[in-house]
């Protein structure tokens, strides 16, 4: 048995999960928020033990314990040091060296990486180089890697890229209709995102259907605050909705999704906005938030939709864009065996699943209302006469990362 940690380092946050492998048992999971602030929030959830009862920062409910502390955390080095110390203090680990592998989520792998890789200086240099493709993510991912390398020098370090699953897309699907020289000079193309999630749920969907993934055509719907849709043909990414960056595709919580570039420059001119200011609007002030002028959270919009026309409109636009991509991918793959809902909205919002599938009856996509109602776990919610199955599969990117680390450990 081996303890492996899955890490997602953001610019001011650190999300982690510690798993026992190959049993695939979650030992602890946690989050450090507001890194760099005096009031950073540090949380660990774990199975209750004797140390939990005696720690003033731990609350216990039944067999579950939650450590939470608000404290100054200067940078990622301090955050990771503190995380390891508390894992030890709480008797979750007895020695840092128990953690034999660390898998790091890295957003942009460009065309360099079509799979997860062991981290060396060359890999780290390429992650740095690709910061232009994900300026908010890759520098933070690289920083986390360097800190873990220093603090856990004996551990196997692995980079798991959001983009690698999508490297199987054919050129006809990943190139934009721009002068070809920009692809050659700058790598201007579609890279996609959420690849680890799409890879995981596609595999689970094949298990649920009882068929080899190589025989299936699936459409995986990662619908959360960030949302992307992927056509998975015979186990490989065939096309995906996100583009050069995670800004493209369907309407999201605060991201616009697909927009005519001419409209972007038009608004910039009218509002006298810089490129950075316009990108901030597209990334952080658009989507459900921008349309509704109320909230980026689908639950809030649902609660308000009866009295608030803009809340209703935001929901309708979200559903419309999801339906459009599903229809497009059914056509591009010449059919589909199943659509698969996952992530925060996809897993938990049965009413969104109902509204999406209600628009797709002409394709033979039908759900059983009783199976769909309240479903938040892995399930086939298809109607008996459905020609294309509808599945719910909770995603588990951390488990996928841990599996990749285990497979690469010597």
């Amino acid at each position: 048995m081996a303890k492996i940690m899955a890490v997602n380092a953001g610019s001011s946050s650190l999300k982690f999960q510690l798993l026992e492998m190959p049993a695939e048992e979650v030992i602890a999971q946690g989050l450090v928020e507001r890194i760099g602030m005096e009031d950073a929030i540090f949380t660990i959830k774990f199975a209750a033990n004797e140390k939990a009862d005696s720690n003033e920062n731990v609350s216990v409910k039944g067999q579950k314990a939650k450590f939470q502390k608000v404290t100054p955390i200067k940078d990622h080095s301090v955050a990771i040091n503190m995380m390891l110390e508390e894992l030890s203090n709480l008797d979750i680990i007895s020695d840092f060296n128990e953690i034999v592998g660390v898998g790091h989520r890295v957003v942009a792998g460009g065309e360099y990486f079509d799979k997860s890789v062991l981290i060396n200086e060359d890999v780290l240099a390429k992650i740095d180089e690709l910061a232009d493709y994900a300026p908010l993510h890759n520098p933070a991912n690289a920083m986390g890697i360097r800190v873990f390398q220093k603090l856990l020098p004996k551990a196997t370090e692995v980079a798991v890229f959001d983009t690698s699953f999508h490297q199987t897309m054919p050129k006809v699907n990943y190139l934009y209709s721009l002068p070809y020289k920009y692809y050659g000079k700058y790598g201007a193309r579609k890279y996609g995102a959420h690849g680890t999630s799409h890879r995981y749920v596609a595999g689970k969907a094949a298990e649920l259907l009882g068929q080899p993934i190589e025989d299936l055509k699936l459409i995986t719907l990662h619908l959360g605050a960030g949302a992307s849709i992927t056509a998975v043909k015979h186990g490989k990414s065939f096309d995906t909705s996100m583009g050069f960056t995670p800004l493209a595709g369907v309407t999201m919580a605060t991201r616009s999704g697909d927009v005519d570039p001419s409209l972007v420059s038009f608004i910039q001119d009218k509002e006298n906005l810089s490129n950075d200011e316009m990108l901030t609007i597209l990334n952080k002030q658009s989507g459900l938030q921008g349309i509704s002028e109320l909230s980026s959270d689908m639950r809030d919009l649902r609660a308000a939709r009866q009295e608030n026309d803009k809340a209703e409109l935001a929901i309708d636009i979200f559903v419309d864009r999801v339906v459009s991509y599903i229809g497009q991918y059914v056509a591009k793959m010449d059919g589909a065996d199943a659509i698969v809902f996952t992530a925060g909205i996809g897993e938990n919002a049965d009413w969104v699943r109902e509204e999406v599938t209600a628009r797709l009856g002409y394709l033979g996509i039908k759900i059983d209302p009783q199976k769909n109602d309240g479903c938040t776990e892995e399930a086939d919610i298809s109607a008996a006469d459905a020609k294309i199955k509808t599945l719910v599969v909770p995603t588990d990117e951390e488990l996928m990362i841990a599996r990749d680390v285990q497979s690469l450990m010597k």
Side-chain angles (χ1 to χ4, degrees):
M1 302 291 278
K3 289 184 174 68
I4 292 175
M5 180 167 282
V7 175
N8 182 358
S11 56
S12 61
S13 66
L14 179 76
K15 183 180 179 184
F16 61 91
Q17 192 169 110
L18 184 64
L19 299 99
E20 191 82 60
M21 299 295 285
E24 301 189 346
E25 176 190 349
V26 177
I27 303 167
Q29 55 189 328
L31 177 65
V32 187
E33 303 170 87
R34 298 172 62 82
I35 294 173
M37 305 283 192
E38 292 296 308
D39 57 348
I41 305 168
F42 181 25
T43 306
I44 302 176
K45 295 178 182 178
F46 61 105
N49 57 25
E50 289 183 11
K51 286 290 183 76
D53 294 329
S54 60
N55 191 309
E56 63 179 10
N57 293 309
V58 175
S59 58
V60 179
K61 288 185 179 179
Q63 298 299 310
K64 297 180 179 180
K66 179 180 177 181
F67 169 93
Q68 189 162 68
K69 186 176 181 180
V70 177
T71 185
I73 297 180
K74 178 184 175 183
D75 53 29
H76 282 73
S77 182
V78 173
I80 294 168
N81 252 310
M82 188 179 296
M83 175 197 71
L84 294 171
E85 290 287 351
E86 292 300 343
L87 288 175
S88 179
N89 292 338
L90 294 167
D91 250 4
I92 297 167
I93 59 173
S94 57
D95 186 278
F96 290 179
N97 290 326
E98 282 185 38
I99 302 173
V100 297
V102 183
H104 300 266
R105 179 202 178 202
V106 180
V107 169
E111 292 188 328
Y112 288 132
F113 305 105
D114 61 0
K115 59 187 175 186
S116 300
V117 295
L118 292 168
I119 296 171
N120 55 30
E121 286 305 313
D122 179 61
V123 169
L124 202 44
K126 286 182 168 66
I127 292 171
D128 289 333
E129 178 188 332
L130 292 164
D132 281 351
Y133 291 6
L136 299 178
H137 298 96
N138 268 40
N141 302 154
M143 185 191 315
I145 290 169
R146 289 187 168 97
V147 174
F148 270 99
Q149 285 180 324
K150 182 178 179 181
L151 296 177
L152 298 176
K154 295 181 180 179
T156 299
E157 307 276 345
V158 173
V160 181
F161 300 91
D162 272 20
T163 52
S164 61
F165 181 60
H166 301 301
Q167 282 298 297
T168 54
M169 287 189 295
K171 189 171 282 189
V172 69
N173 287 342
Y174 71 67
L175 277 187
Y176 295 108
S177 302
L178 296 169
Y180 193 87
K181 63 182 179 181
Y182 298 135
Y183 170 57
K185 291 172 70 174
Y186 309 118
R189 52 159 286 178
K190 178 190 289 190
Y191 290 102
H194 297 141
T196 306
S197 175
H198 289 291
R199 178 163 57 107
Y200 176 80
V201 299
K204 293 295 287 184
E207 291 178 19
L208 197 56
L209 294 169
Q211 297 182 53
I213 195 169
E214 294 81 10
D215 295 343
L216 294 170
K217 298 174 185 176
L218 304 170
I219 299 171
T220 50
L221 314 170
H222 181 106
L223 306 180
S228 63
I229 299 176
T230 295
V232 183
K233 189 175 183 181
H234 309 319
K236 297 178 179 180
S237 177
F238 181 70
D239 202 355
T240 194
S241 60
M242 284 182 167
F244 180 69
T245 72
L247 179 57
V250 298
T251 301
M252 293 171 250
T254 62
R255 294 179 221 162
S256 63
D258 297 333
V259 177
D260 180 348
S262 295
L263 179 58
V264 174
S265 61
F266 173 82
I267 293 171
Q268 276 190 259
D269 290 342
K270 293 294 184 183
E271 296 285 322
N272 194 27
L273 299 167
S274 68
N275 288 339
D276 285 346
E277 288 170 330
M278 190 69 229
L279 281 172
T280 297
I281 290 170
L282 292 169
N283 274 296
K284 297 185 177 180
Q285 300 170 22
S286 299
L288 298 176
Q289 176 71 54
I291 297 162
S292 69
E293 298 180 330
L294 174 68
S295 176
S296 62
D297 192 309
M298 192 65 86
R299 292 166 293 191
D300 296 337
L301 300 182
R302 186 193 187 196
R305 72 189 302 183
Q306 298 301 323
E307 292 81 30
N308 187 314
D309 290 345
K310 289 179 182 174
E312 174 77 5
L313 180 61
I315 292 169
D316 288 346
I317 288 176
F318 176 86
V319 170
D320 177 82
R321 302 307 188 264
V322 171
V323 168
S324 295
Y325 269 97
I326 294 171
Q328 178 188 153
Y329 290 163
V330 170
K332 292 184 79 167
M333 292 195 294
D334 192 23
D337 295 291
I339 64 172
V340 190
F341 286 92
T342 194
I345 296 171
E347 294 170 26
N348 298 298
D350 52 7
W351 61 276
V352 171
R353 297 193 298 258
E354 181 181 358
E355 293 191 25
V356 168
T357 54
R359 299 267 302 275
L360 297 165
Y362 73 98
L363 289 173
I365 296 174
K366 299 179 185 178
I367 61 170
D368 182 323
Q370 289 184 317
K371 293 179 182 177
N372 180 56
D373 187 25
C375 177
T376 59
E377 298 179 349
E378 184 178 307
D380 180 342
I381 58 170
S382 313
D385 61 342
K387 295 179 181 177
I388 296 176
K389 297 283 189 180
T390 300
L391 310 178
V392 178
V393 176
T395 192
D396 196 337
E397 292 165 283
E398 289 79 16
L399 175 56
M400 202 80 230
I401 290 170
R403 285 176 178 173
D404 285 358
V405 174
Q406 186 180 37
S407 71
L408 288 168
M409 287 177 64
K410 294 180 180 178

